[in-house]
Amino acid sequence: MESQILRYDKAEFIETDTGNKVSRKSIICGSQNIVLGGKTIIQRDCMVRGDLRRTGTGHAVVVAIGRYCFLGERSVIRPPYKTYKGVFNYYPMKIADHVYIGEGAVVEAAQVGSYVHIGRDAVIGRFAVIKDCCRILDGAVVPPNTVVPSFSVYGGAPAKLVDELPESTQELFEAQTKDFYYSKFLPN
Amino acid sequence: MQVEMLSVPPPFVYYQSHNHLSRPGPAVATPLSAPASEPEESLSLEAATQPPAASADILSLFPIARLYYCQDCSRICCPVCVTEEIAFYYCPNCLFEVPTASVKAERNRCGRNCFECPVCENTLSVVSTVEPPATATTPTTPDAAASPTTTSNVHYLACGACRWDSLEIGLQFERPTGLASQLQPTEDARPDVQEFEHLRQHFEKLLKSKDTANNVNPMGLLRGLSGGGLNLPSSLLATMPGLASFASIGRRSTTRESAAARAGREVKVETYTSSIELGNDKGEAAKDLIPSDIIPGTTLKQRLRQPNDNPVEVAHLRPHRVQLRTKRSKRCRRCDHMVVKPEHKAHSTRFTIKMLAIHAIPTITICHPFPETLQWDAPCTIILRFTNPLEVGITIALATTNAVVEPREDEPQAEPGNCQVTLLAPTFTVDPVREIWDYEDEPSASPLNVGVGVHERTKNTTSVSVQVTPRRRDSDEALNEGHTIQFSLLVHVSPIEEVDAGHLTLSSEAASAPAPAPVAKRTVPPVAFWVAVGLGAVERERAGQ
C-alpha cells in the first residue's frame, strides 16, 4: 500500500536551491554547522542541534545529513558526547542518504548509514553505529555503542535483532524515499 | 517467518512463486491469447495460468521484496525454493570477517573484544579505570576517564543498557585488547566445552578412517559445508530446510559403495565414553540443579545461555562472547545457478550477483484513493499501480479466478472467493524505464487517461481501476466476520518487441551490431504469475442498519 499524499503549506517550508525543504517551525540550532545533502525534508518541530560542537575555533561540520532524507515531526537529532581523559566533548554525527526518521525519534548515533528506516518514537543511544539498509522498529531503544549490522531489523527495548531484511531493501527504500519526495510531499 | 509475513495488515499485494508448479496440470481454457511456444522452457505458461490451490497459499505467498528471479529457468523463486549457502561469517559487533578455520576454533563466536551482557543481551563496552595504588579512595564509580598509566589500569566490561558491569562478578582484565584470548583458559576448562572437544575428537577419528576407505568422497564436493567429508545420513539432511538437495548426494554415495569396500573398512564404531562420569542415581543429581526452595534470580533465558552451570543467582552469570552472523548466498533449487551472492566484506551491502524479482516482474501496489470502508454488496473501486522495471515496454493482461473457468475435478472443495471482481482494464501497456530520469529532474506527471479503466500513466507506471464487490460467502454471519476481502489475480506479462527491422540507423549502437539485431535491453521472456490482493475486513455492521 502506498503512503498517502502529505500536503504541506508552501509558506511554512523554506526550499533551498538544492531542493531541501526545511520547515520554518523546526528548531535548527547552529545552522552553520549543519550540512544537508539535497532534497531532504525537515518537518515542523524537528530539532537539529548543530550548536553542540567540539570546543575549538574554525568551521566544523557537526551534523551531516545526506540526500532524500526525511526527518519527521518532533524528532531530535543531536550529536553524541563523551568524557575522554577528563575532557567533555561532542563528536560529529553523520547521517547518510535515503534515511527516514520517524516522528518523535531521538537520534544520538555517531553514524547512520544509507537506506535506513528509523521508526517513530525510537531512541538511538550515543555512539551507536547503524549500517546501511537497516530498519529500527517503532519504539525501539537502541543502547549506546551498539552496532547495527546491515540488513537487520532491531526492535524492542533494549533493541535486539528481530528480523532480517531481504536483499532488495536498497532498491525498495530508495524508491520509497524518492517517490515520497517527488509524488507524495506536495504543496497545498 | 512466512506466517509472520502474512500477518502484515491489509491492504496487501502478495505474489505467488512458481514453486507450486512442480507437476504440469490439465490445460485450462483461458481468455488470454496463446502464450509463446518455447518447448524447452521448464515453466510452460499454460501451467502457470492454473488458478492457485486455495489452501496452498500460506507457504507460497510473498511480498515482491522477498522474491528472486532465476534468469536461466525464467521463473520466480521464493525464499523457500532457494538453497542457502554460507558465504562468510562476521561478527555483528566489530564487523570483522572471520575466516572459516577460525570459526570452528572459536566455536562460532567472536574472538576479539566483543561480549554480550548476561542480563540484557546487549554488547558490552570495555571500560578502563585507574586504580589508585596507595590511597584507599573507592574506585567504585567507574568513570571512563582513564589516564594512560599502564601499570595500574583496571579494564572491565560494562553494559550501556542495564548498567551491569563485570566487576560485580569480579572479572577484570590486564590489557584492554584481546579479551577473548585472556578468557580462553577459563573457558576451555568448562566441563561442557571439554565434553564437546572429546566428542569432536571421537568423531573426527571416525571420519578420517572413513575417508581413507572411500577414495572418492562425493561429500567433499559439497559446496558451502566446510570441513572435509560430511557423512550425514540422507534422512537427516532431508529434514533440514536448505539442505534437502544434499540428501540425494548422500544416497548416491551409499549406493556407490560396494560390499567389498564396506568390508575393507576395518574400523569399528567404538562406543563413546564420556569424560565425565554420571552416577546411576536416577535423577538425584537433577534435584540439585535447581533447589526447590530457592526462587531463581535469573530468568530462564539467562540460564539457558549458560548451560553448564545453570546459575540461579545473578552474581553467577558470566558474559558471553558475541555469536557470529553469516552472509548467505542463494541458489535456484532447480538449475543451481546463483541468484544472490554477497560481497566478501562485512560492512558492504553490495552484491556480486543479485537477481531480484523487482528487476524482472512488475511491482504491483495499491494506491490512493482507497475506499474508506468496505461494505457487503457495495462495489468499490481500488487502484492498482503496475511499475515496469524493464527497459522495454510491456503488455499486461489481467484475469481473475471468476474468469478462469470451472473448478478442477481434483479440487471439489475449491472455495469461491469472498468478493466479486470486475477488471475495468484487462489489457494495457506500461512504459519502460528510461535512464535519463536518473540524471535530470522528474518531469511533472501528466495523467493521460489513455484507454478505458486506466486511471493514470506516469513515467514507468500505469494505474488501473478494479471494481470489487464483497459478497457474503456463507449464510452464517459469524463466518463472514473478520475475513480479509481478497482476490486472486493472474498477471500475464509480455515485453513489447521493438521492431527495428529495415531501419538502418547510423547511430553508434547500431553500427557495432548487425542491422536487424536490436540493441540488447534488459528484458525477460513472457511470464505469468498469480497475485493475491487483500483489501481488509468488512466493517462490522452496526446494529439497526
Side-chain angles (χ1 to χ4, degrees):
Chain A
M1 177 87 184
E2 298 195 358
S3 49
Q4 264 185 329
I5 292 182
L6 190 60
R7 297 269 172 199
Y8 68 94
D9 186 10
K10 247 197 147 154
E12 188 191 320
F13 277 77
I14 307 170
E15 184 159 348
T16 71
D17 309 334
T18 44
N20 294 314
K21 297 185 177 164
V22 181
S23 167
R24 289 174 208 274
K25 300 204 178 125
S26 62
I27 308 161
I28 311 282
C29 312
S31 50
Q32 63 273 21
N33 300 329
I34 302 174
V35 171
L36 295 180
K39 309 213 199 270
T40 293
I41 301 169
I42 300 188
Q43 287 269 57
R44 62 164 64 188
D45 296 328
C46 167
M47 184 155 73
V48 185
R49 299 296 305 268
D51 55 334
L52 304 173
R53 54 168 291 177
R54 188 191 281 258
T55 53
T57 53
H59 190 59
V61 173
V62 172
V63 179
I65 302 180
R67 301 163 60 233
Y68 291 104
C69 287
F70 179 89
L71 307 188
E73 297 187 10
R74 297 181 312 279
S75 54
V76 175
I77 316 288
R78 68 198 304 270
Y81 54 89
K82 186 153 66 172
T83 300
Y84 183 62
K85 298 184 182 175
V87 180
F88 176 89
N89 254 328
Y90 282 100
Y91 288 76
M93 74 184 295
K94 181 167 179 1
I95 298 179
D97 308 328
H98 299 277
V99 173
Y100 174 94
I101 297 184
E103 301 181 1
V106 175
V107 180
E108 273 189 278
Q111 202 186 357
V112 179
S114 309
Y115 313 103
V116 171
H117 186 289
I118 297 181
R120 54 185 311 168
D121 300 321
V123 176
I124 315 284
R126 295 177 287 127
F127 294 103
V129 172
I130 303 180
K131 293 291 183 185
D132 301 342
C133 299
C134 291
R135 194 177 158 153
I136 312 286
L137 297 180
D138 299 348
V141 176
V142 177
N145 299 306
T146 318
V147 173
V148 177
S150 310
F151 295 108
S152 26
V153 178
Y154 269 58
K160 296 195 184 40
L161 180 73
V162 168
D163 197 359
E164 288 221 6
L165 290 175
E167 293 79 4
S168 52
T169 304
Q170 177 166 332
E171 281 90 354
L172 233 63
F173 279 6
E174 184 178 348
Q176 268 177 19
T177 46
K178 276 193 174 169
D179 176 61
F180 183 81
Y181 180 84
Y182 288 119
S183 323
K184 300 288 189 300
F185 193 67
L186 303 172
N188 276 336
Chain B
M1 199 154 82
Q2 281 98 358
V3 181
E4 214 178 280
M5 286 195 278
L6 273 190
S7 68
V8 168
F12 55 74
V13 175
Y14 280 139
Y15 289 62
Q16 181 166 46
S17 72
H18 287 150
N19 59 349
H20 68 291
L21 303 172
S22 50
R23 63 212 183 322
V28 177
T30 73
L32 308 171
S33 53
S37 57
E38 279 171 275
E40 294 84 28
E41 206 181 18
S42 56
L43 177 69
S44 69
L45 285 173
E46 283 106 356
T49 54
Q50 291 171 41
S55 53
D57 302 333
I58 300 283
L59 288 182
S60 56
L61 282 181
F62 296 92
I64 193 172
R66 301 243 171 213
L67 293 175
Y68 313 98
Y69 181 78
C70 177
Q71 272 175 357
D72 304 284
C73 323
S74 301
R75 50 184 271 134
I76 303 170
C77 301
C78 66
V80 173
C81 48
V82 290
T83 53
E84 292 189 351
E85 294 157 11
I86 294 173
F88 63 94
Y89 295 81
Y90 67 98
C91 169
N93 192 42
C94 54
L95 294 178
F96 183 73
E97 189 191 327
V98 183
T100 330
S102 309
V103 168
K104 283 174 100 174
E106 303 278 355
R107 283 183 289 275
N108 285 4
R109 289 178 187 263
C110 183
R112 296 159 111 228
N113 302 334
C114 309
F115 284 86
E116 259 181 7
C117 174
V119 175
C120 65
E121 278 182 66
N122 285 104
T123 50
L124 298 170
S125 42
V126 184
V127 173
S128 318
T129 68
V130 176
E131 231 182 37
T135 59
T137 49
T138 48
T140 47
T141 50
D143 56 318
S147 39
T149 53
T150 46
T151 47
S152 52
N153 255 352
V154 169
H155 308 278
Y156 61 95
L157 302 166
C159 177
C162 67
R163 295 289 187 219
W164 180 91
D165 60 62
S166 66
L167 289 178
E168 288 179 23
I169 57 171
L171 180 64
Q172 54 193 35
F173 304 92
E174 298 152 356
R175 301 184 316 268
T177 52
L179 301 180
S181 48
Q182 289 178 46
L183 276 188
Q184 198 170 26
T186 43
E187 197 173 309
D188 283 343
R190 261 172 34 192
D192 57 330
V193 172
Q194 281 188 331
E195 183 67 24
F196 185 76
E197 280 300 314
H198 204 208
L199 271 169
R200 199 154 69 95
Q201 281 161 10
H202 172 82
F203 284 113
E204 257 182 17
K205 265 189 289 177
L206 220 63
L207 287 177
K208 277 203 183 73
S209 45
K210 247 192 166 182
D211 265 353
T212 52
N214 290 348
N215 291 336
V216 178
N217 195 352
M219 297 308 244
L221 302 172
L222 277 178
R223 302 178 217 94
L225 293 172
S226 57
L230 190 69
N231 285 316
L232 292 177
S234 51
S235 54
L236 189 63
L237 283 178
T239 54
M240 285 193 231
L243 292 183
S245 56
F246 301 142
S248 54
I249 302 180
R251 240 176 283 131
R252 245 190 295 138
S253 72
T254 47
T255 51
R256 214 187 286 184
E257 283 176 2
S258 58
R262 244 173 273 164
R265 231 183 306 129
E266 287 288 329
V267 68
K268 282 183 299 228
V269 181
E270 51 200 44
T271 49
Y272 173 73
T273 52
S274 162
S275 55
I276 299 175
E277 285 298 321
L278 287 174
N280 241 346
D281 51 1
K282 294 193 202 304
E284 289 291 324
K287 291 192 189 151
D288 290 335
L289 278 179
I290 297 186
S292 51
D293 52 348
I294 294 182
I295 301 171
T298 54
T299 66
L300 183 65
K301 211 171 172 188
Q302 289 165 349
R303 283 200 294 274
L304 288 176
R305 264 182 284 141
Q306 260 180 246
N308 54 317
D309 58 353
N310 257 332
V312 175
E313 298 169 35
V314 181
H316 289 160
L317 290 174
R318 294 182 61 82
H320 315 282
R321 290 185 285 159
V322 168
Q323 271 199 311
L324 299 176
R325 254 187 251 167
T326 62
K327 281 217 186 176
R328 298 172 293 280
S329 53
K330 307 197 174 145
R331 277 176 196 271
C332 170
R333 212 180 274 259
R334 283 196 173 199
C335 61
D336 261 359
H337 270 95
M338 278 241 188
V339 161
V340 167
K341 184 168 173 175
E343 252 191 24
H344 248 259
K345 291 197 186 68
H347 52 265
S348 128
T349 53
R350 282 196 302 219
F351 293 87
T352 324
I353 306 175
K354 186 161 74 162
M355 294 204 281
L356 303 169
I358 53 173
H359 294 315
I361 57 177
T363 311
I364 306 172
T365 52
I366 306 176
C367 47
H368 291 273
F370 190 75
E372 287 190 10
T373 55
L374 297 168
Q375 303 283 347
W376 293 115
D377 301 322
C380 55
T381 315
I382 59 167
I383 316 279
L384 290 178
R385 171 172 297 174
F386 291 75
T387 309
N388 179 12
L390 308 173
E391 288 169 357
V392 296
I394 51 174
T395 310
I396 295 186
L398 299 175
T400 61
T401 43
N402 300 331
V404 180
V405 126
E406 72 283 351
R408 307 208 305 268
E409 292 72 37
D410 53 348
E411 256 198 59
Q413 288 298 329
E415 303 175 1
N418 56 1
C419 56
Q420 195 172 335
V421 178
T422 315
L423 298 168
L424 301 178
T427 312
F428 53 93
T429 59
V430 188
D431 292 331
V433 172
R434 295 201 198 281
E435 266 186 45
I436 196 73
W437 294 329
D438 277 344
Y439 302 114
E440 59 180 31
D441 260 345
E442 317 274 323
S444 54
S446 52
L448 309 158
N449 284 317
V450 179
V452 177
V454 174
H455 180 248
E456 190 188 4
R457 249 179 227 283
T458 57
K459 293 179 303 168
N460 63 330
T461 71
T462 304
S463 316
V464 295
S465 318
V466 174
Q467 197 171 52
V468 177
T469 311
R471 291 258 178 249
R472 284 193 180 80
R473 198 168 56 191
D474 298 302
S475 51
D476 189 5
E477 197 55 44
L479 287 178
N480 283 327
E481 295 295 325
H483 281 281
T484 311
I485 304 290
Q486 72 177 43
F487 58 93
S488 312
L489 205 62
L490 173 66
V491 180
H492 188 129
V493 179
S494 35
I496 301 172
E497 302 217 349
E498 304 195 341
V499 183
D500 265 339
H503 181 76
L504 282 175
T505 58
L506 290 177
S507 58
S508 50
E509 310 104 50
S512 51
V519 175
K521 289 193 182 167
R522 188 180 58 187
T523 178
V524 294
V527 65
F529 51 89
W530 283 93
V531 161
V533 181
L535 300 177
V538 173
E539 206 182 66
R540 195 179 285 265
E541 280 184 9
R542 289 183 284 270
Q545 274 201 326

